[in-house]
Amino acid sequence: MSYEAELATTRAFFAARAAGWDAKFPDDGPRYAAAIGELGPLDGAVVLDAGCGTGRALPLLRAAVGGAGTVLGLDLTPEMLAEAARHAGDAALVAGDCGRLPLRDGALDLVFGAGLISHLPGPARGLRELARATRASGRLALYHPVGRAALAARHGRQLTPDDLRAEPNLRPLLASAGWRLDSYTDEDTRFLAVATRV
């Protein structure tokens, strides 16, 4: 499948689910807050919520960066961005593709990607582009409110060795895209991989 076809498939998948997305996962807020809290002080940071979806992380990121910081929410799907507008506050929302960011080199201090890695068309391309837009020693946080096994069970499938989020697969994928994996947590109640731009 071509890159453009993958984008279209991803957009269609989320467009059909945008209106009911938050209702399906009403209790995830505290888990998002805990994950963002683990990233340490973010005062004044420029943060991209990549694949922001309905924007659940936007107010939490906005609070973390304070008045001197900037939060951008980027999503491929207009229907998701319409939902995100309800949560965005003064975070800027941008329609776009992680593989072609409308940002200058080194503009970001942190990329937060909740559920992102599994939905990136051409994940290496997207991760390289996120690295391009992140300053040296900036960070990438790949997050999900449940771990790999719990997510697979939710979808009625087994974990497979080719799962992109498995540490033996994720570490070299990140390295090839300009990131160093610093920490990796995969528990039933959360997945959080934090990498540094090298």
Side-chain angles (χ1 to χ4, degrees):
M1 183 182 300
S2 72
Y3 184 79
E4 295 303 325
E6 285 189 63
L7 287 178
T9 299
T10 299
R11 190 181 292 116
F13 176 87
F14 285 107
R17 292 163 175 78
W21 192 263
D22 284 348
K24 283 181 66 175
F25 309 105
D27 302 323
D28 287 348
R31 293 180 186 180
Y32 273 75
I36 291 167
E38 283 185 47
L39 300 176
L42 295 174
D43 291 344
V46 178
V47 176
L48 173 66
D49 185 355
C52 68
T54 60
R56 290 181 291 173
L58 293 173
L60 300 167
L61 291 167
R62 180 71 250 169
V65 302
T70 300
V71 176
L72 306 171
L74 177 120
D75 203 275
L76 182 65
T77 308
E79 292 84 354
M80 282 291 193
L81 286 174
E83 294 294 319
R86 297 181 303 121
H87 302 294
D90 64 353
L93 296 177
V94 179
D97 165 18
C98 288
R100 294 178 284 230
L101 294 171
L103 299 169
R104 65 175 169 76
D105 293 358
L108 304 170
D109 297 303
L110 172 70
V111 175
F112 183 79
L116 176 69
I117 191 75
S118 301
H119 297 289
L120 277 179
R125 174 181 175 161
L127 290 169
R128 276 193 305 274
E129 178 65 354
L130 292 169
R132 179 199 62 76
T134 302
R135 67 170 171 78
S137 76
R139 292 179 298 156
L140 168 69
L142 297 174
Y143 171 71
H144 201 283
V146 296
R148 294 184 317 115
L151 185 61
R154 179 186 286 176
H155 294 295
R157 59 180 170 77
Q158 297 289 325
L159 282 177
T160 60
D162 62 345
D163 181 355
L164 282 179
R165 295 187 313 151
E167 192 274 339
N169 300 330
L170 185 60
R171 184 178 297 277
L173 176 63
L174 288 168
S176 72
W179 301 97
R180 180 188 68 240
L181 183 62
D182 295 323
S183 65
Y184 180 91
T185 304
D186 182 15
E187 302 168 343
D188 280 348
T189 57
R190 70 186 184 132
F191 175 90
L192 181 61
V194 181
T196 299
R197 174 73 172 95
V198 294

PDB file of all heavy atoms in Angstrom, residues 36-64:
ATOM      1  N   ILE A  36       2.133  12.359  31.768  1.00  0.00           N
ATOM      2  CA  ILE A  36       2.698  13.686  31.512  1.00  0.00           C
ATOM      3  C   ILE A  36       3.500  14.147  32.721  1.00  0.00           C
ATOM      4  O   ILE A  36       4.582  14.718  32.576  1.00  0.00           O
ATOM      5  CB  ILE A  36       1.585  14.672  31.115  1.00  0.00           C
ATOM      6  CG1 ILE A  36       1.042  14.273  29.730  1.00  0.00           C
ATOM      7  CG2 ILE A  36       2.081  16.111  31.127  1.00  0.00           C
ATOM      8  CD1 ILE A  36      -0.254  14.948  29.339  1.00  0.00           C
ATOM      9  N   GLY A  37       3.010  13.857  33.916  1.00  0.00           N
ATOM     10  CA  GLY A  37       3.747  14.200  35.130  1.00  0.00           C
ATOM     11  C   GLY A  37       5.098  13.516  35.207  1.00  0.00           C
ATOM     12  O   GLY A  37       6.071  14.087  35.736  1.00  0.00           O
ATOM     13  N   GLU A  38       5.194  12.306  34.691  1.00  0.00           N
ATOM     14  CA  GLU A  38       6.467  11.575  34.717  1.00  0.00           C
ATOM     15  C   GLU A  38       7.530  12.185  33.818  1.00  0.00           C
ATOM     16  O   GLU A  38       8.714  11.874  33.947  1.00  0.00           O
ATOM     17  CB  GLU A  38       6.249  10.121  34.279  1.00  0.00           C
ATOM     18  CG  GLU A  38       5.632   9.263  35.342  1.00  0.00           C
ATOM     19  CD  GLU A  38       5.557   7.815  34.901  1.00  0.00           C
ATOM     20  OE1 GLU A  38       6.566   7.298  34.382  1.00  0.00           O
ATOM     21  OE2 GLU A  38       4.477   7.218  35.077  1.00  0.00           O
ATOM     22  N   LEU A  39       7.116  13.042  32.897  1.00  0.00           N
ATOM     23  CA  LEU A  39       8.075  13.635  31.968  1.00  0.00           C
ATOM     24  C   LEU A  39       8.875  14.765  32.605  1.00  0.00           C
ATOM     25  O   LEU A  39       9.779  15.308  31.984  1.00  0.00           O
ATOM     26  CB  LEU A  39       7.343  14.131  30.709  1.00  0.00           C
ATOM     27  CG  LEU A  39       6.611  13.038  29.947  1.00  0.00           C
ATOM     28  CD1 LEU A  39       5.832  13.632  28.783  1.00  0.00           C
ATOM     29  CD2 LEU A  39       7.575  11.954  29.468  1.00  0.00           C
ATOM     30  N   GLY A  40       8.538  15.102  33.839  1.00  0.00           N
ATOM     31  CA  GLY A  40       9.313  16.104  34.566  1.00  0.00           C
ATOM     32  C   GLY A  40       8.861  17.511  34.228  1.00  0.00           C
ATOM     33  O   GLY A  40       7.877  17.716  33.517  1.00  0.00           O
ATOM     34  N   PRO A  41       9.584  18.501  34.726  1.00  0.00           N
ATOM     35  CA  PRO A  41       9.195  19.898  34.504  1.00  0.00           C
ATOM     36  C   PRO A  41       9.171  20.230  33.008  1.00  0.00           C
ATOM     37  O   PRO A  41      10.104  19.923  32.276  1.00  0.00           O
ATOM     38  CB  PRO A  41      10.290  20.705  35.213  1.00  0.00           C
ATOM     39  CG  PRO A  41      10.932  19.753  36.161  1.00  0.00           C
ATOM     40  CD  PRO A  41      10.789  18.391  35.551  1.00  0.00           C
ATOM     41  N   LEU A  42       8.094  20.870  32.590  1.00  0.00           N
ATOM     42  CA  LEU A  42       7.947  21.270  31.196  1.00  0.00           C
ATOM     43  C   LEU A  42       7.711  22.777  31.060  1.00  0.00           C
ATOM     44  O   LEU A  42       7.324  23.245  29.992  1.00  0.00           O
ATOM     45  CB  LEU A  42       6.786  20.511  30.543  1.00  0.00           C
ATOM     46  CG  LEU A  42       6.928  18.998  30.411  1.00  0.00           C
ATOM     47  CD1 LEU A  42       5.639  18.374  29.888  1.00  0.00           C
ATOM     48  CD2 LEU A  42       8.095  18.651  29.499  1.00  0.00           C
ATOM     49  N   ASP A  43       7.947  23.531  32.133  1.00  0.00           N
ATOM     50  CA  ASP A  43       7.698  24.974  32.099  1.00  0.00           C
ATOM     51  C   ASP A  43       8.382  25.612  30.892  1.00  0.00           C
ATOM     52  O   ASP A  43       9.584  25.432  30.674  1.00  0.00           O
ATOM     53  CB  ASP A  43       8.224  25.652  33.370  1.00  0.00           C
ATOM     54  CG  ASP A  43       7.432  25.282  34.604  1.00  0.00           C
ATOM     55  OD1 ASP A  43       6.316  24.763  34.455  1.00  0.00           O
ATOM     56  OD2 ASP A  43       7.935  25.514  35.720  1.00  0.00           O
ATOM     57  N   GLY A  44       7.618  26.360  30.122  1.00  0.00           N
ATOM     58  CA  GLY A  44       8.156  27.089  28.984  1.00  0.00           C
ATOM     59  C   GLY A  44       8.438  26.261  27.751  1.00  0.00           C
ATOM     60  O   GLY A  44       8.923  26.781  26.751  1.00  0.00           O
ATOM     61  N   ALA A  45       8.130  24.969  27.776  1.00  0.00           N
ATOM     62  CA  ALA A  45       8.455  24.085  26.652  1.00  0.00           C
ATOM     63  C   ALA A  45       7.505  24.305  25.476  1.00  0.00           C
ATOM     64  O   ALA A  45       6.366  24.746  25.635  1.00  0.00           O
ATOM     65  CB  ALA A  45       8.403  22.625  27.091  1.00  0.00           C
ATOM     66  N   VAL A  46       8.003  23.962  24.285  1.00  0.00           N
ATOM     67  CA  VAL A  46       7.178  23.898  23.080  1.00  0.00           C
ATOM     68  C   VAL A  46       6.885  22.415  22.844  1.00  0.00           C
ATOM     69  O   VAL A  46       7.806  21.622  22.614  1.00  0.00           O
ATOM     70  CB  VAL A  46       7.902  24.510  21.863  1.00  0.00           C
ATOM     71  CG1 VAL A  46       7.041  24.375  20.614  1.00  0.00           C
ATOM     72  CG2 VAL A  46       8.256  25.970  22.130  1.00  0.00           C
ATOM     73  N   VAL A  47       5.612  22.052  22.943  1.00  0.00           N
ATOM     74  CA  VAL A  47       5.201  20.648  22.920  1.00  0.00           C
ATOM     75  C   VAL A  47       4.243  20.404  21.760  1.00  0.00           C
ATOM     76  O   VAL A  47       3.311  21.177  21.538  1.00  0.00           O
ATOM     77  CB  VAL A  47       4.517  20.257  24.250  1.00  0.00           C
ATOM     78  CG1 VAL A  47       3.997  18.833  24.200  1.00  0.00           C
ATOM     79  CG2 VAL A  47       5.476  20.433  25.417  1.00  0.00           C
ATOM     80  N   LEU A  48       4.479  19.327  21.050  1.00  0.00           N
ATOM     81  CA  LEU A  48       3.563  18.862  20.008  1.00  0.00           C
ATOM     82  C   LEU A  48       2.857  17.608  20.495  1.00  0.00           C
ATOM     83  O   LEU A  48       3.507  16.631  20.868  1.00  0.00           O
ATOM     84  CB  LEU A  48       4.332  18.531  18.720  1.00  0.00           C
ATOM     85  CG  LEU A  48       3.505  17.884  17.599  1.00  0.00           C
ATOM     86  CD1 LEU A  48       2.458  18.859  17.061  1.00  0.00           C
ATOM     87  CD2 LEU A  48       4.414  17.386  16.488  1.00  0.00           C
ATOM     88  N   ASP A  49       1.525  17.648  20.514  1.00  0.00           N
ATOM     89  CA  ASP A  49       0.728  16.442  20.734  1.00  0.00           C
ATOM     90  C   ASP A  49       0.465  15.875  19.344  1.00  0.00           C
ATOM     91  O   ASP A  49      -0.411  16.339  18.618  1.00  0.00           O
ATOM     92  CB  ASP A  49      -0.564  16.788  21.464  1.00  0.00           C
ATOM     93  CG  ASP A  49      -1.385  15.561  21.834  1.00  0.00           C
ATOM     94  OD1 ASP A  49      -1.002  14.432  21.450  1.00  0.00           O
ATOM     95  OD2 ASP A  49      -2.428  15.725  22.497  1.00  0.00           O
ATOM     96  N   ALA A  50       1.289  14.903  18.956  1.00  0.00           N
ATOM     97  CA  ALA A  50       1.265  14.349  17.602  1.00  0.00           C
ATOM     98  C   ALA A  50       0.184  13.278  17.507  1.00  0.00           C
ATOM     99  O   ALA A  50       0.206  12.315  18.264  1.00  0.00           O
ATOM    100  CB  ALA A  50       2.631  13.759  17.259  1.00  0.00           C
ATOM    101  N   GLY A  51      -0.738  13.447  16.575  1.00  0.00           N
ATOM    102  CA  GLY A  51      -1.882  12.555  16.514  1.00  0.00           C
ATOM    103  C   GLY A  51      -2.773  12.817  17.709  1.00  0.00           C
ATOM    104  O   GLY A  51      -3.157  11.895  18.421  1.00  0.00           O
ATOM    105  N   CYS A  52      -3.114  14.080  17.935  1.00  0.00           N
ATOM    106  CA  CYS A  52      -3.784  14.491  19.181  1.00  0.00           C
ATOM    107  C   CYS A  52      -5.188  13.929  19.320  1.00  0.00           C
ATOM    108  O   CYS A  52      -5.750  13.939  20.409  1.00  0.00           O
ATOM    109  CB  CYS A  52      -3.805  16.008  19.309  1.00  0.00           C
ATOM    110  SG  CYS A  52      -4.865  16.857  18.103  1.00  0.00           S
ATOM    111  N   GLY A  53      -5.773  13.437  18.226  1.00  0.00           N
ATOM    112  CA  GLY A  53      -7.109  12.862  18.328  1.00  0.00           C
ATOM    113  C   GLY A  53      -8.102  13.880  18.855  1.00  0.00           C
ATOM    114  O   GLY A  53      -8.156  15.017  18.388  1.00  0.00           O
ATOM    115  N   THR A  54      -8.879  13.483  19.846  1.00  0.00           N
ATOM    116  CA  THR A  54      -9.902  14.363  20.404  1.00  0.00           C
ATOM    117  C   THR A  54      -9.335  15.365  21.400  1.00  0.00           C
ATOM    118  O   THR A  54     -10.086  16.110  22.014  1.00  0.00           O
ATOM    119  CB  THR A  54     -11.013  13.542  21.085  1.00  0.00           C
ATOM    120  OG1 THR A  54     -10.441  12.770  22.135  1.00  0.00           O
ATOM    121  CG2 THR A  54     -11.722  12.638  20.091  1.00  0.00           C
ATOM    122  N   GLY A  55      -8.038  15.386  21.565  1.00  0.00           N
ATOM    123  CA  GLY A  55      -7.392  16.422  22.373  1.00  0.00           C
ATOM    124  C   GLY A  55      -7.392  16.186  23.867  1.00  0.00           C
ATOM    125  O   GLY A  55      -7.221  17.129  24.641  1.00  0.00           O
ATOM    126  N   ARG A  56      -7.536  14.940  24.298  1.00  0.00           N
ATOM    127  CA  ARG A  56      -7.606  14.679  25.740  1.00  0.00           C
ATOM    128  C   ARG A  56      -6.356  15.128  26.481  1.00  0.00           C
ATOM    129  O   ARG A  56      -6.425  15.537  27.636  1.00  0.00           O
ATOM    130  CB  ARG A  56      -7.848  13.189  26.007  1.00  0.00           C
ATOM    131  CG  ARG A  56      -9.240  12.760  25.619  1.00  0.00           C
ATOM    132  CD  ARG A  56      -9.481  11.309  25.892  1.00  0.00           C
ATOM    133  NE  ARG A  56      -8.681  10.507  24.965  1.00  0.00           N
ATOM    134  CZ  ARG A  56      -8.581   9.187  25.052  1.00  0.00           C
ATOM    135  NH1 ARG A  56      -9.184   8.538  26.015  1.00  0.00           N
ATOM    136  NH2 ARG A  56      -7.876   8.530  24.169  1.00  0.00           N
ATOM    137  N   ALA A  57      -5.193  15.065  25.822  1.00  0.00           N
ATOM    138  CA  ALA A  57      -3.955  15.454  26.500  1.00  0.00           C
ATOM    139  C   ALA A  57      -3.699  16.952  26.450  1.00  0.00           C
ATOM    140  O   ALA A  57      -2.862  17.462  27.207  1.00  0.00           O
ATOM    141  CB  ALA A  57      -2.769  14.718  25.871  1.00  0.00           C
ATOM    142  N   LEU A  58      -4.384  17.678  25.586  1.00  0.00           N
ATOM    143  CA  LEU A  58      -4.056  19.094  25.379  1.00  0.00           C
ATOM    144  C   LEU A  58      -4.151  19.942  26.644  1.00  0.00           C
ATOM    145  O   LEU A  58      -3.216  20.687  26.951  1.00  0.00           O
ATOM    146  CB  LEU A  58      -4.923  19.682  24.258  1.00  0.00           C
ATOM    147  CG  LEU A  58      -4.647  19.127  22.860  1.00  0.00           C
ATOM    148  CD1 LEU A  58      -5.674  19.665  21.862  1.00  0.00           C
ATOM    149  CD2 LEU A  58      -3.225  19.442  22.409  1.00  0.00           C
ATOM    150  N   PRO A  59      -5.240  19.881  27.445  1.00  0.00           N
ATOM    151  CA  PRO A  59      -5.277  20.719  28.644  1.00  0.00           C
ATOM    152  C   PRO A  59      -4.220  20.317  29.672  1.00  0.00           C
ATOM    153  O   PRO A  59      -3.679  21.166  30.388  1.00  0.00           O
ATOM    154  CB  PRO A  59      -6.696  20.539  29.190  1.00  0.00           C
ATOM    155  CG  PRO A  59      -7.251  19.345  28.509  1.00  0.00           C
ATOM    156  CD  PRO A  59      -6.508  19.166  27.225  1.00  0.00           C
ATOM    157  N   LEU A  60      -3.889  19.042  29.730  1.00  0.00           N
ATOM    158  CA  LEU A  60      -2.857  18.576  30.655  1.00  0.00           C
ATOM    159  C   LEU A  60      -1.480  19.076  30.230  1.00  0.00           C
ATOM    160  O   LEU A  60      -0.673  19.514  31.057  1.00  0.00           O
ATOM    161  CB  LEU A  60      -2.869  17.051  30.724  1.00  0.00           C
ATOM    162  CG  LEU A  60      -4.186  16.423  31.191  1.00  0.00           C
ATOM    163  CD1 LEU A  60      -4.202  14.936  30.913  1.00  0.00           C
ATOM    164  CD2 LEU A  60      -4.417  16.706  32.671  1.00  0.00           C
ATOM    165  N   LEU A  61      -1.198  19.010  28.946  1.00  0.00           N
ATOM    166  CA  LEU A  61       0.069  19.533  28.430  1.00  0.00           C
ATOM    167  C   LEU A  61       0.132  21.044  28.601  1.00  0.00           C
ATOM    168  O   LEU A  61       1.170  21.592  28.976  1.00  0.00           O
ATOM    169  CB  LEU A  61       0.242  19.152  26.958  1.00  0.00           C
ATOM    170  CG  LEU A  61       0.471  17.663  26.690  1.00  0.00           C
ATOM    171  CD1 LEU A  61       0.311  17.355  25.209  1.00  0.00           C
ATOM    172  CD2 LEU A  61       1.849  17.223  27.189  1.00  0.00           C
ATOM    173  N   ARG A  62      -0.982  21.729  28.349  1.00  0.00           N
ATOM    174  CA  ARG A  62      -1.039  23.190  28.495  1.00  0.00           C
ATOM    175  C   ARG A  62      -0.718  23.577  29.939  1.00  0.00           C
ATOM    176  O   ARG A  62       0.051  24.513  30.184  1.00  0.00           O
ATOM    177  CB  ARG A  62      -2.442  23.651  28.093  1.00  0.00           C
ATOM    178  CG  ARG A  62      -2.733  25.100  28.166  1.00  0.00           C
ATOM    179  CD  ARG A  62      -2.001  25.862  27.093  1.00  0.00           C
ATOM    180  NE  ARG A  62      -0.981  26.631  27.757  1.00  0.00           N
ATOM    181  CZ  ARG A  62       0.002  27.274  27.163  1.00  0.00           C
ATOM    182  NH1 ARG A  62       0.155  27.231  25.878  1.00  0.00           N
ATOM    183  NH2 ARG A  62       0.877  27.959  27.837  1.00  0.00           N
ATOM    184  N   ALA A  63      -1.291  22.856  30.901  1.00  0.00           N
ATOM    185  CA  ALA A  63      -1.005  23.143  32.309  1.00  0.00           C
ATOM    186  C   ALA A  63       0.460  22.880  32.626  1.00  0.00           C
ATOM    187  O   ALA A  63       1.079  23.616  33.403  1.00  0.00           O
ATOM    188  CB  ALA A  63      -1.915  22.309  33.210  1.00  0.00           C
ATOM    189  N   ALA A  64       1.031  21.844  32.034  1.00  0.00           N
ATOM    190  CA  ALA A  64       2.426  21.479  32.326  1.00  0.00           C
ATOM    191  C   ALA A  64       3.423  22.496  31.796  1.00  0.00           C
ATOM    192  O   ALA A  64       4.468  22.726  32.411  1.00  0.00           O
ATOM    193  CB  ALA A  64       2.737  20.092  31.746  1.00  0.00           C
TER     194      ALA A  64
END
